[in-house]
Amino acid sequence: MFVLVVAAAGYIARGGADAKPLPGTPLRDLGAQRGIEVGTAVRSDVLKRNRAYRELVAAQFSSVTPENEMKWAAIEPSRGDFDFDPADEIVEQARDAGQKVRGHTLVWHAQLPGWVKDLGPQELRAAMHEHIRRVIGHYDEDVGIWDVVNEPITDRGGLRESVFERRLGPGFIADAFRTAHAADPDAKLYLNEIGAEGINAKSNRLYEIVRDLKAEGVPIDGVGFQVHANLKGLPPDFVENMRRFRGLGLDVAITEADVALKLPPSDADLQAQARIYAEIVRSCLAVECRSLTFWGFTDGRSWISETQAGRGAATLLDEHLRPKPAFFAVQRALGG
Ligand code: G3I
């Protein structure tokens, strides 16, 4: 008996179990009725070995974002030496499931391989151009949207002192967008930022930057608001903030939504979390956002519990892939 129980537990841990279908209309269908894509960050290793995870991704979402697999350190760990395999696996699954893929991310100060940090200005510019061209070129059939530049601004509204900013100056942003556009003129190109949901020093600077890019004719299509939230909730001026970016003729998307809780969460916390998730959906719909992406959909696979001690339970499903109040709140907010 004991052996049987242990064997069964191992089977489930390895992902041999079928996904228990979630009740109600899938989020991707509800999103389609409202004209938006509903997406999730995914991990290639989990997709590969966990059938329940894989089936839920296919059933519930119309778009996926590789959580780490397209980042510079993962995809070009040494100069000119590209490893597309893990990201290719995600792209292939997405093709089979009829999903869009958001490319994340081409130019970011984090998850950057050491060799990039050692380059002088000329070499860095050449390496950035080559990186963007090769990655976009590899995926031009399958990836229609890119986070070209990620998180270039500090909370105080300055340009972040990244290797790109220090060696290339603030013009690296326009340069990256122009290079991306030349590599795939049909791709939608986004600037993605964290903590810019409310009207604050960071989002004001973001606004000025994208306004100037548009005025200079730089090919930028949209702004991604990440929305890594907690029980403090969303800034009251989130919708107003996104509207001013829409006013510049840009698309907006929510790109990395989650709502972190203190562990273990109480029932009241889970209900409060559900209300915040519903508000994220409503905010997105209020500004006719293009897409709403969750940064993972199960508490068993979320960066919050992996990187922030004492916090977690940030997603729609628990670690056993069972729906939490947040899941039903998102369904209802999407009209389900
Ligand atoms: O790849 C190594 C692996 O070789 C090693 O064995 C393992 C041991 O810790 O680490 C692996 O790297 C981890 C990587 O994820 C891939 O799994 C890093 O430690 C870990 O720090 C990294 O975390 C990611 C984080 O970005 C890095 O900054 C998270 O999974 C990912 O969710 C998070 O995503 C970012 C978005 O890209 C941008 N916006 C903020 C968001 C949250 O930080």
Side-chain angles (χ1 to χ4, degrees):
M1 180 63 184
F2 175 75
V3 173
L4 270 181
V5 171
V6 169
Y11 177 71
I12 290 164
R14 284 196 310 276
D18 289 327
K20 210 160 167 231
L22 296 173
T25 309
L27 301 181
R28 60 183 291 168
D29 298 338
L30 294 172
Q33 287 162 18
R34 309 301 296 257
I36 65 167
E37 260 120 43
V38 181
T40 180
V42 291
R43 299 178 176 185
S44 61
D45 55 336
V46 190
L47 270 179
K48 190 155 44 180
R49 64 164 193 270
N50 189 323
R51 191 159 92 202
Y53 177 96
R54 191 166 61 239
E55 287 176 0
L56 281 173
V57 169
Q60 291 291 327
F61 300 99
S62 48
S63 147
V64 293
T65 306
E67 187 169 345
N68 289 297
E69 293 78 353
M70 286 185 179
K71 292 172 180 172
W72 199 319
I75 217 160
E76 193 186 5
S78 49
R79 192 166 183 181
D81 185 7
F82 288 81
D83 177 8
F84 292 114
D85 291 352
D88 283 356
E89 287 167 18
I90 293 175
V91 167
E92 278 158 30
Q93 299 254 357
R95 208 189 291 138
D96 291 347
Q99 294 163 324
K100 298 213 165 147
V101 180
R102 284 190 75 88
H104 176 79
T105 173
L106 295 163
V107 179
W108 187 28
H109 63 276
Q111 284 172 292
L112 200 57
W115 65 268
V116 175
K117 297 176 199 152
D118 297 336
L119 301 175
Q122 271 191 336
E123 285 294 290
L124 178 62
R125 190 181 304 283
M128 185 180 86
H129 288 170
E130 184 64 5
H131 180 77
I132 293 173
R133 281 191 205 114
R134 289 285 300 275
V135 177
I136 292 193
H138 184 81
Y139 291 112
D140 66 349
E141 300 274 302
D142 294 295
V143 178
I145 307 173
W146 286 97
D147 290 333
V148 177
V149 176
N150 197 39
E151 303 171 7
I153 308 169
T154 66
D155 289 346
R156 300 173 70 174
L159 262 197
R160 188 187 293 280
E161 278 191 39
S162 66
V163 62
F164 302 104
E165 191 272 336
R166 277 199 307 273
R167 308 257 156 77
L168 308 179
F172 84 88
I173 298 178
D175 190 9
F177 276 90
R178 288 197 173 102
T179 309
H181 182 68
D184 182 358
D186 296 328
K188 297 286 179 205
L189 306 180
Y190 275 65
L191 197 158
N192 193 43
E193 189 53 272
I194 187 169
E197 286 78 34
I199 296 182
N200 55 30
K202 187 181 248 188
S203 67
N204 287 341
R205 186 64 187 275
L206 177 62
Y207 181 83
E208 288 165 15
I209 289 175
V210 298
R211 181 197 60 199
D212 293 351
L213 292 175
K214 286 285 282 180
E216 290 157 21
V218 174
I220 176 170
D221 297 289
V223 170
F225 294 88
Q226 296 187 12
V227 193
H228 291 293
N230 55 37
L231 282 191
K232 285 190 199 137
L234 302 177
D237 47 13
F238 182 31
V239 168
E240 185 188 341
N241 187 34
M242 286 194 287
R243 270 206 185 111
R244 64 176 170 158
F245 288 87
R246 295 282 283 120
L248 292 172
L250 289 164
D251 290 339
V252 299
I254 290 178
T255 51
E256 304 187 13
D258 53 19
V259 182
L261 302 180
K262 229 169 91 193
L263 296 175
S266 64
D267 285 347
D269 291 343
L270 293 169
Q271 296 298 337
Q273 180 186 52
R275 288 193 291 276
I276 294 167
Y277 264 108
E279 203 185 330
I280 293 173
V281 176
R282 286 195 298 268
S283 305
C284 201
L285 295 174
V287 295
E288 296 177 329
C289 65
R290 290 277 159 178
S291 61
L292 164 58
T293 294
F294 302 105
W295 208 237
F297 63 94
T298 161
D299 292 343
R301 310 284 175 182
S302 155
W303 73 289
I304 300 279
S305 40
E306 289 162 358
T307 58
Q308 301 182 18
R311 283 154 48 94
T315 74
L316 302 181
L317 310 183
D318 71 12
E319 60 273 37
H320 304 292
L321 301 173
R322 291 178 305 217
K324 293 159 60 184
F327 175 78
F328 297 111
V330 166
Q331 274 189 332
R332 277 195 300 276
L334 284 169

PDB file of all heavy atoms in Angstrom, residues 196-220:
ATOM      1  N   ALA A 196       5.423  51.030 -13.087  1.00  0.00           N
ATOM      2  CA  ALA A 196       5.018  52.272 -13.755  1.00  0.00           C
ATOM      3  C   ALA A 196       3.497  52.324 -13.889  1.00  0.00           C
ATOM      4  O   ALA A 196       2.962  52.988 -14.767  1.00  0.00           O
ATOM      5  CB  ALA A 196       5.679  52.366 -15.131  1.00  0.00           C
ATOM      6  N   GLU A 197       2.790  51.600 -12.988  1.00  0.00           N
ATOM      7  CA  GLU A 197       1.342  51.513 -13.138  1.00  0.00           C
ATOM      8  C   GLU A 197       0.650  52.829 -12.768  1.00  0.00           C
ATOM      9  O   GLU A 197      -0.265  53.268 -13.447  1.00  0.00           O
ATOM     10  CB  GLU A 197       0.780  50.372 -12.263  1.00  0.00           C
ATOM     11  CG  GLU A 197       1.078  48.983 -12.805  1.00  0.00           C
ATOM     12  CD  GLU A 197       2.505  48.511 -12.527  1.00  0.00           C
ATOM     13  OE1 GLU A 197       3.059  48.851 -11.469  1.00  0.00           O
ATOM     14  OE2 GLU A 197       3.065  47.792 -13.380  1.00  0.00           O
ATOM     15  N   GLY A 198       1.097  53.428 -11.676  1.00  0.00           N
ATOM     16  CA  GLY A 198       0.483  54.690 -11.259  1.00  0.00           C
ATOM     17  C   GLY A 198       1.165  55.867 -11.945  1.00  0.00           C
ATOM     18  O   GLY A 198       2.182  55.714 -12.622  1.00  0.00           O
ATOM     19  N   ILE A 199       0.588  57.048 -11.762  1.00  0.00           N
ATOM     20  CA  ILE A 199       1.250  58.255 -12.272  1.00  0.00           C
ATOM     21  C   ILE A 199       2.298  58.633 -11.221  1.00  0.00           C
ATOM     22  O   ILE A 199       1.975  59.033 -10.108  1.00  0.00           O
ATOM     23  CB  ILE A 199       0.224  59.375 -12.521  1.00  0.00           C
ATOM     24  CG1 ILE A 199      -0.742  58.911 -13.627  1.00  0.00           C
ATOM     25  CG2 ILE A 199       0.936  60.670 -12.912  1.00  0.00           C
ATOM     26  CD1 ILE A 199      -1.790  59.923 -14.027  1.00  0.00           C
ATOM     27  N   ASN A 200       3.546  58.410 -11.574  1.00  0.00           N
ATOM     28  CA  ASN A 200       4.642  58.628 -10.623  1.00  0.00           C
ATOM     29  C   ASN A 200       5.890  59.040 -11.411  1.00  0.00           C
ATOM     30  O   ASN A 200       5.844  59.172 -12.646  1.00  0.00           O
ATOM     31  CB  ASN A 200       4.890  57.354  -9.790  1.00  0.00           C
ATOM     32  CG  ASN A 200       5.155  56.127 -10.666  1.00  0.00           C
ATOM     33  OD1 ASN A 200       5.695  56.245 -11.768  1.00  0.00           O
ATOM     34  ND2 ASN A 200       4.781  54.956 -10.187  1.00  0.00           N
ATOM     35  N   ALA A 201       6.995  59.225 -10.695  1.00  0.00           N
ATOM     36  CA  ALA A 201       8.217  59.717 -11.354  1.00  0.00           C
ATOM     37  C   ALA A 201       8.630  58.788 -12.494  1.00  0.00           C
ATOM     38  O   ALA A 201       9.045  59.227 -13.572  1.00  0.00           O
ATOM     39  CB  ALA A 201       9.337  59.838 -10.327  1.00  0.00           C
ATOM     40  N   LYS A 202       8.483  57.478 -12.256  1.00  0.00           N
ATOM     41  CA  LYS A 202       8.903  56.520 -13.283  1.00  0.00           C
ATOM     42  C   LYS A 202       8.003  56.586 -14.509  1.00  0.00           C
ATOM     43  O   LYS A 202       8.479  56.660 -15.644  1.00  0.00           O
ATOM     44  CB  LYS A 202       8.884  55.113 -12.680  1.00  0.00           C
ATOM     45  CG  LYS A 202       9.454  54.056 -13.585  1.00  0.00           C
ATOM     46  CD  LYS A 202       9.378  52.685 -12.951  1.00  0.00           C
ATOM     47  CE  LYS A 202      10.749  52.151 -12.621  1.00  0.00           C
ATOM     48  NZ  LYS A 202      10.738  50.757 -12.170  1.00  0.00           N
ATOM     49  N   SER A 203       6.690  56.574 -14.279  1.00  0.00           N
ATOM     50  CA  SER A 203       5.799  56.568 -15.453  1.00  0.00           C
ATOM     51  C   SER A 203       5.824  57.912 -16.167  1.00  0.00           C
ATOM     52  O   SER A 203       5.620  57.976 -17.384  1.00  0.00           O
ATOM     53  CB  SER A 203       4.369  56.170 -15.062  1.00  0.00           C
ATOM     54  OG  SER A 203       3.776  57.144 -14.239  1.00  0.00           O
ATOM     55  N   ASN A 204       6.088  59.003 -15.421  1.00  0.00           N
ATOM     56  CA  ASN A 204       6.221  60.302 -16.099  1.00  0.00           C
ATOM     57  C   ASN A 204       7.412  60.277 -17.053  1.00  0.00           C
ATOM     58  O   ASN A 204       7.343  60.760 -18.186  1.00  0.00           O
ATOM     59  CB  ASN A 204       6.400  61.431 -15.078  1.00  0.00           C
ATOM     60  CG  ASN A 204       5.103  61.744 -14.347  1.00  0.00           C
ATOM     61  OD1 ASN A 204       4.009  61.390 -14.815  1.00  0.00           O
ATOM     62  ND2 ASN A 204       5.206  62.389 -13.191  1.00  0.00           N
ATOM     63  N   ARG A 205       8.526  59.714 -16.581  1.00  0.00           N
ATOM     64  CA  ARG A 205       9.716  59.632 -17.448  1.00  0.00           C
ATOM     65  C   ARG A 205       9.464  58.700 -18.639  1.00  0.00           C
ATOM     66  O   ARG A 205       9.849  58.988 -19.774  1.00  0.00           O
ATOM     67  CB  ARG A 205      10.910  59.146 -16.632  1.00  0.00           C
ATOM     68  CG  ARG A 205      12.219  59.155 -17.398  1.00  0.00           C
ATOM     69  CD  ARG A 205      12.617  60.582 -17.783  1.00  0.00           C
ATOM     70  NE  ARG A 205      13.769  60.654 -18.660  1.00  0.00           N
ATOM     71  CZ  ARG A 205      15.042  60.654 -18.260  1.00  0.00           C
ATOM     72  NH1 ARG A 205      15.325  60.594 -16.969  1.00  0.00           N
ATOM     73  NH2 ARG A 205      16.014  60.727 -19.128  1.00  0.00           N
ATOM     74  N   LEU A 206       8.773  57.600 -18.338  1.00  0.00           N
ATOM     75  CA  LEU A 206       8.422  56.657 -19.404  1.00  0.00           C
ATOM     76  C   LEU A 206       7.580  57.372 -20.469  1.00  0.00           C
ATOM     77  O   LEU A 206       7.809  57.219 -21.679  1.00  0.00           O
ATOM     78  CB  LEU A 206       7.638  55.482 -18.799  1.00  0.00           C
ATOM     79  CG  LEU A 206       7.107  54.414 -19.736  1.00  0.00           C
ATOM     80  CD1 LEU A 206       8.247  53.703 -20.461  1.00  0.00           C
ATOM     81  CD2 LEU A 206       6.287  53.375 -18.952  1.00  0.00           C
ATOM     82  N   TYR A 207       6.631  58.153 -19.985  1.00  0.00           N
ATOM     83  CA  TYR A 207       5.768  58.898 -20.908  1.00  0.00           C
ATOM     84  C   TYR A 207       6.601  59.816 -21.795  1.00  0.00           C
ATOM     85  O   TYR A 207       6.428  59.847 -23.024  1.00  0.00           O
ATOM     86  CB  TYR A 207       4.726  59.685 -20.104  1.00  0.00           C
ATOM     87  CG  TYR A 207       3.769  60.471 -20.958  1.00  0.00           C
ATOM     88  CD1 TYR A 207       2.646  59.860 -21.516  1.00  0.00           C
ATOM     89  CD2 TYR A 207       3.992  61.819 -21.231  1.00  0.00           C
ATOM     90  CE1 TYR A 207       1.766  60.567 -22.322  1.00  0.00           C
ATOM     91  CE2 TYR A 207       3.114  62.532 -22.031  1.00  0.00           C
ATOM     92  CZ  TYR A 207       2.009  61.911 -22.577  1.00  0.00           C
ATOM     93  OH  TYR A 207       1.146  62.612 -23.377  1.00  0.00           O
ATOM     94  N   GLU A 208       7.534  60.557 -21.162  1.00  0.00           N
ATOM     95  CA  GLU A 208       8.362  61.491 -21.953  1.00  0.00           C
ATOM     96  C   GLU A 208       9.200  60.738 -22.987  1.00  0.00           C
ATOM     97  O   GLU A 208       9.341  61.155 -24.132  1.00  0.00           O
ATOM     98  CB  GLU A 208       9.296  62.274 -21.026  1.00  0.00           C
ATOM     99  CG  GLU A 208       8.573  63.297 -20.183  1.00  0.00           C
ATOM    100  CD  GLU A 208       9.453  63.789 -19.019  1.00  0.00           C
ATOM    101  OE1 GLU A 208      10.687  63.565 -19.036  1.00  0.00           O
ATOM    102  OE2 GLU A 208       8.874  64.375 -18.100  1.00  0.00           O
ATOM    103  N   ILE A 209       9.744  59.609 -22.555  1.00  0.00           N
ATOM    104  CA  ILE A 209      10.611  58.844 -23.471  1.00  0.00           C
ATOM    105  C   ILE A 209       9.821  58.346 -24.679  1.00  0.00           C
ATOM    106  O   ILE A 209      10.223  58.543 -25.827  1.00  0.00           O
ATOM    107  CB  ILE A 209      11.288  57.670 -22.721  1.00  0.00           C
ATOM    108  CG1 ILE A 209      12.345  58.217 -21.761  1.00  0.00           C
ATOM    109  CG2 ILE A 209      11.910  56.670 -23.694  1.00  0.00           C
ATOM    110  CD1 ILE A 209      12.991  57.169 -20.870  1.00  0.00           C
ATOM    111  N   VAL A 210       8.674  57.731 -24.432  1.00  0.00           N
ATOM    112  CA  VAL A 210       7.941  57.168 -25.579  1.00  0.00           C
ATOM    113  C   VAL A 210       7.310  58.281 -26.423  1.00  0.00           C
ATOM    114  O   VAL A 210       7.218  58.151 -27.650  1.00  0.00           O
ATOM    115  CB  VAL A 210       6.905  56.091 -25.173  1.00  0.00           C
ATOM    116  CG1 VAL A 210       7.587  54.902 -24.518  1.00  0.00           C
ATOM    117  CG2 VAL A 210       5.826  56.633 -24.272  1.00  0.00           C
ATOM    118  N   ARG A 211       6.930  59.381 -25.784  1.00  0.00           N
ATOM    119  CA  ARG A 211       6.419  60.525 -26.559  1.00  0.00           C
ATOM    120  C   ARG A 211       7.499  61.012 -27.517  1.00  0.00           C
ATOM    121  O   ARG A 211       7.253  61.235 -28.694  1.00  0.00           O
ATOM    122  CB  ARG A 211       6.018  61.649 -25.578  1.00  0.00           C
ATOM    123  CG  ARG A 211       5.448  62.881 -26.248  1.00  0.00           C
ATOM    124  CD  ARG A 211       5.461  64.057 -25.307  1.00  0.00           C
ATOM    125  NE  ARG A 211       6.836  64.360 -24.864  1.00  0.00           N
ATOM    126  CZ  ARG A 211       7.157  65.075 -23.778  1.00  0.00           C
ATOM    127  NH1 ARG A 211       6.194  65.552 -23.008  1.00  0.00           N
ATOM    128  NH2 ARG A 211       8.414  65.300 -23.464  1.00  0.00           N
ATOM    129  N   ASP A 212       8.731  61.136 -27.001  1.00  0.00           N
ATOM    130  CA  ASP A 212       9.825  61.616 -27.854  1.00  0.00           C
ATOM    131  C   ASP A 212      10.172  60.596 -28.934  1.00  0.00           C
ATOM    132  O   ASP A 212      10.463  60.974 -30.079  1.00  0.00           O
ATOM    133  CB  ASP A 212      11.059  61.938 -26.997  1.00  0.00           C
ATOM    134  CG  ASP A 212      10.799  63.132 -26.071  1.00  0.00           C
ATOM    135  OD1 ASP A 212       9.743  63.786 -26.241  1.00  0.00           O
ATOM    136  OD2 ASP A 212      11.633  63.386 -25.176  1.00  0.00           O
ATOM    137  N   LEU A 213      10.125  59.327 -28.587  1.00  0.00           N
ATOM    138  CA  LEU A 213      10.392  58.302 -29.612  1.00  0.00           C
ATOM    139  C   LEU A 213       9.377  58.416 -30.747  1.00  0.00           C
ATOM    140  O   LEU A 213       9.741  58.410 -31.933  1.00  0.00           O
ATOM    141  CB  LEU A 213      10.332  56.892 -29.009  1.00  0.00           C
ATOM    142  CG  LEU A 213      11.436  56.494 -28.015  1.00  0.00           C
ATOM    143  CD1 LEU A 213      11.144  55.120 -27.420  1.00  0.00           C
ATOM    144  CD2 LEU A 213      12.818  56.497 -28.668  1.00  0.00           C
ATOM    145  N   LYS A 214       8.109  58.549 -30.374  1.00  0.00           N
ATOM    146  CA  LYS A 214       7.065  58.691 -31.402  1.00  0.00           C
ATOM    147  C   LYS A 214       7.308  59.938 -32.241  1.00  0.00           C
ATOM    148  O   LYS A 214       7.225  59.897 -33.465  1.00  0.00           O
ATOM    149  CB  LYS A 214       5.682  58.822 -30.745  1.00  0.00           C
ATOM    150  CG  LYS A 214       5.117  57.552 -30.175  1.00  0.00           C
ATOM    151  CD  LYS A 214       4.594  56.606 -31.218  1.00  0.00           C
ATOM    152  CE  LYS A 214       3.218  57.012 -31.745  1.00  0.00           C
ATOM    153  NZ  LYS A 214       2.750  56.051 -32.770  1.00  0.00           N
ATOM    154  N   ALA A 215       7.642  61.039 -31.570  1.00  0.00           N
ATOM    155  CA  ALA A 215       7.845  62.308 -32.288  1.00  0.00           C
ATOM    156  C   ALA A 215       9.016  62.200 -33.267  1.00  0.00           C
ATOM    157  O   ALA A 215       9.003  62.819 -34.331  1.00  0.00           O
ATOM    158  CB  ALA A 215       8.077  63.438 -31.283  1.00  0.00           C
ATOM    159  N   GLU A 216      10.008  61.398 -32.898  1.00  0.00           N
ATOM    160  CA  GLU A 216      11.177  61.236 -33.782  1.00  0.00           C
ATOM    161  C   GLU A 216      10.963  60.159 -34.837  1.00  0.00           C
ATOM    162  O   GLU A 216      11.870  59.858 -35.619  1.00  0.00           O
ATOM    163  CB  GLU A 216      12.413  60.859 -32.946  1.00  0.00           C
ATOM    164  CG  GLU A 216      12.929  61.992 -32.078  1.00  0.00           C
ATOM    165  CD  GLU A 216      13.752  61.468 -30.891  1.00  0.00           C
ATOM    166  OE1 GLU A 216      14.252  60.320 -30.967  1.00  0.00           O
ATOM    167  OE2 GLU A 216      13.850  62.199 -29.905  1.00  0.00           O
ATOM    168  N   GLY A 217       9.788  59.563 -34.842  1.00  0.00           N
ATOM    169  CA  GLY A 217       9.497  58.532 -35.844  1.00  0.00           C
ATOM    170  C   GLY A 217      10.142  57.187 -35.550  1.00  0.00           C
ATOM    171  O   GLY A 217      10.285  56.349 -36.452  1.00  0.00           O
ATOM    172  N   VAL A 218      10.519  56.969 -34.308  1.00  0.00           N
ATOM    173  CA  VAL A 218      11.099  55.667 -33.935  1.00  0.00           C
ATOM    174  C   VAL A 218       9.968  54.626 -33.919  1.00  0.00           C
ATOM    175  O   VAL A 218       8.878  54.902 -33.405  1.00  0.00           O
ATOM    176  CB  VAL A 218      11.775  55.765 -32.544  1.00  0.00           C
ATOM    177  CG1 VAL A 218      12.252  54.390 -32.074  1.00  0.00           C
ATOM    178  CG2 VAL A 218      12.921  56.762 -32.591  1.00  0.00           C
ATOM    179  N   PRO A 219      10.195  53.447 -34.497  1.00  0.00           N
ATOM    180  CA  PRO A 219       9.112  52.459 -34.601  1.00  0.00           C
ATOM    181  C   PRO A 219       8.797  51.755 -33.279  1.00  0.00           C
ATOM    182  O   PRO A 219       9.280  50.657 -33.008  1.00  0.00           O
ATOM    183  CB  PRO A 219       9.646  51.456 -35.634  1.00  0.00           C
ATOM    184  CG  PRO A 219      11.139  51.574 -35.528  1.00  0.00           C
ATOM    185  CD  PRO A 219      11.434  52.990 -35.139  1.00  0.00           C
ATOM    186  N   ILE A 220       7.977  52.408 -32.467  1.00  0.00           N
ATOM    187  CA  ILE A 220       7.505  51.778 -31.222  1.00  0.00           C
ATOM    188  C   ILE A 220       5.980  51.656 -31.317  1.00  0.00           C
ATOM    189  O   ILE A 220       5.315  52.596 -31.746  1.00  0.00           O
ATOM    190  CB  ILE A 220       7.929  52.588 -29.972  1.00  0.00           C
ATOM    191  CG1 ILE A 220       7.330  51.960 -28.703  1.00  0.00           C
ATOM    192  CG2 ILE A 220       7.565  54.068 -30.073  1.00  0.00           C
ATOM    193  CD1 ILE A 220       7.883  52.531 -27.401  1.00  0.00           C
TER     194      ILE A 220
END
